[in-house]
Amino acid sequence: MIESLSKQQAGKLALLAQGLPPAKPAGTAKEATLSAIEHLGYVQIDTLSVVQRAHHHTLWNRNPRYQAAQLDQLLADKKVFDYWSHAASYLPMRDYRYSLPRKEALKNGTQRHWFERDEKMIRHVLQRITSEGPLRVKDFEQKRNQGSAWRVKPAKQALELLFMQGDLMVPKRINFHKVFDLAERVLPDGMDTSLPTPEEHARFLITRYLLANGIGTVSEFTYLRKNIKKEVVRVLAEMLAAGELIQVRVAEDLYYALPASLELLNQPLARSKLKILSPFDNLVIQRKRTQALFGFDYLIECYVPAAKRQFGYFCLPILWDGKLVARMDCKADRKTSVFHMLHLALEPDFIKLDAFFQALKKELNAFLQFNECNRLQVHRTTPVKVKSALEAVWTA
């Protein structure tokens, strides 16, 4: 039997599974941060700092008591680790062994790293870190590999390759630069380092995704992962036949879900709370899913030539009333403490302006503080006529 959900129900299920808007987290602030990472399965790391970096932003949206130092402490406590999900991420240490299939594939050559192997440099890097302890790229010579299109120095290439294949780990970052050490010195005692079977790995990807997202498809389970789709399809069929999964139809699309997930729909959604999301937030990172469930056609335009941008360099999706209703291009000028709302663009059919602006004001007060700013400057809105209404609400 296939369950049917409306798009509104499917969106609500996805939001409740993602913890958005968040309920009041239990425990200490650091415990709530760890709980969020363990539930989401990963938090994407990003270098862009137009506003607070993506990993901090995503966690703050799940835990209002979040502070950046908590993530550093969780790394030091060996509760999370720095590696790769579909992109560079912080992952729960409890899930460490499920990072091993990618590492093994890179090590045995069934998956290629973007850098070529330089065995002499690899031995040199390993020897120095073994004898000297944790090192950064800057601790190695500055000579560049002129033959490489990447123009990255050989030591950095070796460090990144050893990191990706699991010989090295990152116990901390200094000014966002990775510090590398031997994996055995970073892992907590008693860590299970056995390689999961292909079936175990596929089952993990399916189950973890559904716990964090409510419903999912094969392409979502395998997003930006290589050589895993065939096994995921096989395991999905087994889990479905065993009653471990159900199928859910949303409009023309067919999803999988854990049987207990639909019970989330009995919980209320905090529709009055507004959240300003990171472009790399787990809720919106898969753009096709965002379009399918929320009707929100989203593209981060920092990679688009300036002349072709429709909304702005770094637009943040805005969640309110169970929907993605707007996007805000912005920049936090921390030197002057001014938060620049460069462009607030409302979705074309959006009409609940008064309630929305009140919710936006409340969240912006917290968001400015999170971004080390205390003043807001509104530059442009779409439609143009709502700019004065927004400024009136903000200054009231």
Side-chain angles (χ1 to χ4, degrees):
M1 178 180 175
I2 299 177
E3 299 279 350
S4 292
L5 295 178
S6 67
K7 282 198 174 184
Q8 185 178 22
Q9 288 175 312
K12 177 182 177 181
L13 180 58
L15 290 172
L16 289 168
Q18 276 283 301
L20 287 170
K24 186 176 181 180
T28 66
K30 188 176 76 169
E31 289 169 345
T33 296
L34 176 59
S35 178
I37 298 170
E38 289 183 338
H39 177 72
L40 293 172
Y42 75 93
V43 174
Q44 184 171 335
I45 303 170
D46 195 72
T47 59
L48 294 172
S49 58
V50 178
V51 296
Q52 278 279 15
R53 287 191 171 110
H55 40 291
H56 299 311
H57 189 172
T58 298
L59 289 169
W60 181 78
N61 269 333
R62 271 62 176 195
N63 174 20
R65 295 176 291 163
Y66 174 77
Q67 295 182 354
Q70 294 164 13
L71 194 50
D72 295 334
Q73 191 58 54
L74 289 171
L75 268 175
D77 293 343
K78 303 184 178 183
K79 297 294 185 181
V80 300
F81 69 106
D82 184 332
Y83 187 59
W84 201 265
S85 177
H86 69 274
S89 301
Y90 290 110
L91 299 102
M93 188 64 82
R94 71 177 188 186
D95 296 339
Y96 172 79
R97 68 187 292 255
Y98 296 101
S99 70
L100 296 176
R102 184 193 298 271
K103 293 170 180 174
E104 182 63 23
L106 287 165
K107 189 172 290 190
N108 65 28
T110 57
Q111 185 173 325
R112 285 195 63 184
H113 192 273
W114 47 87
F115 293 142
E116 294 296 329
R117 297 185 68 87
D118 180 339
E119 297 296 343
K120 182 178 179 180
M121 181 57 68
I122 286 171
R123 289 193 297 271
H124 171 68
V125 164
L126 278 175
Q127 183 180 30
R128 281 199 59 188
I129 291 177
T130 300
S131 60
E132 298 176 38
L135 296 173
R136 287 180 284 172
V137 171
K138 66 181 292 185
D139 296 314
F140 292 86
E141 70 281 1
Q142 297 298 311
K143 180 182 177 182
R144 291 184 180 273
N145 183 351
Q146 297 298 324
S148 170
W150 289 82
R151 298 184 65 80
V152 175
K153 59 185 180 181
K156 177 176 172 60
Q157 294 187 24
L159 286 163
E160 289 292 343
L161 192 148
L162 287 165
F163 166 71
M164 286 299 296
Q165 72 180 31
D167 297 279
L168 300 179
M169 292 182 70
V170 175
K172 62 181 177 180
R173 290 181 181 232
I174 299 176
N175 296 327
F176 209 62
H177 296 289
K178 292 174 184 171
V179 177
F180 297 91
D181 199 1
L182 300 179
E184 57 263 34
R185 296 201 292 231
V186 177
L187 288 170
D189 294 338
M191 175 58 59
D192 184 354
T193 58
S194 61
L195 182 68
T197 66
E199 179 175 353
E200 284 180 308
H201 188 214
R203 180 177 285 268
F204 168 81
L205 293 177
I206 294 164
T207 304
R208 280 287 186 269
Y209 186 89
L210 292 177
L211 286 169
N213 294 279
I215 56 176
T217 66
V218 172
S219 63
E220 291 165 3
F221 302 144
T222 59
Y223 179 61
L224 297 183
R225 294 178 182 273
K226 296 181 179 180
N227 307 322
I228 188 68
K229 183 176 180 179
K230 184 177 179 180
E231 187 65 18
V232 165
V233 170
R234 188 186 72 79
V235 172
L236 276 171
E238 287 184 357
M239 294 178 73
L240 194 62
E244 297 175 75
L245 296 177
I246 58 173
Q247 288 183 300
V248 177
R249 186 173 297 282
V250 181
E252 301 302 316
D253 298 319
L254 197 60
Y255 293 85
Y256 294 90
L258 298 168
S261 292
L262 297 190
E263 296 175 11
L264 284 173
L265 290 172
N266 296 323
Q267 298 181 16
L269 184 67
R271 294 182 177 276
S272 64
K273 291 183 180 179
L274 182 146
K275 296 306 295 183
I276 301 163
L277 304 179
S278 166
F280 305 101
D281 191 284
N282 299 51
L283 180 71
V284 297
I285 191 60
Q286 296 199 38
R287 312 306 191 200
K288 289 182 179 179
R289 175 182 171 90
T290 305
Q291 172 71 56
L293 294 183
F294 296 98
F296 192 72
D297 186 10
Y298 179 62
L299 172 70
I300 182 171
E301 296 183 305
C302 57
Y303 307 115
V304 175
K308 295 184 178 181
R309 290 176 194 145
Q310 182 180 0
F311 298 107
Y313 178 81
F314 202 69
C315 277
L316 312 182
I318 298 180
L319 171 70
W320 181 69
D321 193 27
K323 309 177 190 73
L324 293 165
V325 298
R327 65 199 81 202
M328 179 177 67
D329 184 37
C330 52
K331 179 181 176 65
D333 187 340
R334 297 172 185 89
K335 290 183 179 179
T336 62
S337 299
V338 176
F339 188 90
H340 294 275
M341 184 186 290
L342 301 172
H343 185 197
L344 176 69
L346 306 181
E347 287 295 273
D349 57 349
F350 189 68
I351 58 174
K352 298 180 181 179
L353 290 181
D354 291 344
F356 170 71
F357 283 153
Q358 291 294 338
L360 179 60
K361 177 182 179 179
K362 183 177 181 180
E363 186 64 10
L364 274 173
N365 277 315
F367 196 60
L368 263 64
Q369 184 177 354
F370 177 60
N371 281 280
E372 302 171 39
C373 294
N374 56 32
R375 288 184 292 145
L376 174 70
Q377 184 174 344
V378 181
H379 293 256
R380 181 164 72 105
T381 65
T382 300
V384 174
K385 63 183 180 182
V386 306
K387 181 173 184 284
S388 57
L390 171 60
E391 289 174 328
V393 170
W394 178 257
T395 56

